[in-house]
Amino acid sequence: MSNSSLVRWSGAAAIGFGVMVFVSGTLRIVGGFAVMAAALSFAAMFVGALALIGMFARQNARAGAFGVIGFVVALIGVMLSASQMYALTFITPTLAEKFPDALAQVNSGPLGFLFPLGYGPILFGFILFCLAVIRANVLPRWAAVALIAGAVLNVAGLGAVIVRLAGILIFGAGAVWIGVALWKKPSE
């Protein structure tokens, strides 16, 4: 497979990632669809990893060391988020049904504070990587700004549904925008 084919198909992955993030985030915010939202997020993380690989491949010559660091941190964040979504999809529902006291212990015990920390690496990684996208000026800069703004709004709006929904929509739109750019122009 040529590099331009890899980049083009990662564009399709970025489009899918953006749509999946928006739908899963909306399901989570609306409520009543926690397991479905987590399962969709779990799948989205793998599609997002493919999208990141293509984004990196498309701009690696101009992104420099900063781009490599941003890519690695973002990829680690995506994989950590995938593990969280796996737990929410396959482990938490079983624990809640069969062992509710055990689930309460895990959530409030010494490991309970670790669960939200998974958002840190993906947020920090996407911010770093998107700053490298802006700096490299290969992919659409405003799409990278949308990814940063959406990620920050989603985390900052933890208590405000409308802020989180706006963040998820903006983040998803940024991913789709970059995906379209990768699909249309996979190489120089």
Side-chain angles (χ1 to χ4, degrees), residues 62-87:
R62 296 194 44 200
F66 187 68
V68 172
I69 292 167
F71 167 72
V72 169
V73 175
L75 195 58
I76 290 169
V78 165
M79 291 300 104
L80 286 173
S81 290
S83 66
Q84 285 181 320
M85 294 308 122
Y86 178 87

Side-chain angles (χ1 to χ4, degrees), residues 9-78:
W9 285 107
S10 73
I15 293 167
F17 175 65
V19 170
M20 293 166 85
V21 164
F22 178 72
V23 172
S24 67
T26 303
L27 288 173
R28 195 174 305 114
I29 288 171
V30 168
F33 303 99
V35 174
M36 186 186 314
L40 191 56
S41 292
F42 178 61
M45 292 303 117
F46 290 99
V47 175
L50 296 173
L52 276 171
I53 291 166
M55 289 169 65
F56 177 72
R58 176 67 177 87
Q59 67 173 11
N60 71 334
R62 296 194 44 200
F66 187 68
V68 172
I69 292 167
F71 167 72
V72 169
V73 175
L75 195 58
I76 290 169
V78 165

Side-chain angles (χ1 to χ4, degrees), residues 8 10 13-14 56 110 114 117 119 126 128 134 165:
R8 174 167 277 143
S10 73
F56 177 72
L114 290 176
L117 290 180
Y119 290 114
F126 265 99
L128 281 179
I134 292 166
L165 193 56

Side-chain angles (χ1 to χ4, degrees), residues 134-171:
I134 292 166
R135 194 171 131 219
N137 198 24
V138 174
L139 297 169
R141 288 177 157 187
W142 284 105
V145 170
L147 285 169
I148 293 170
V152 169
L153 282 172
N154 185 27
V155 173
L158 285 177
V161 172
I162 193 70
V163 175
R164 287 198 69 202
L165 193 56
I168 290 166
L169 176 62
I170 292 167
F171 185 88

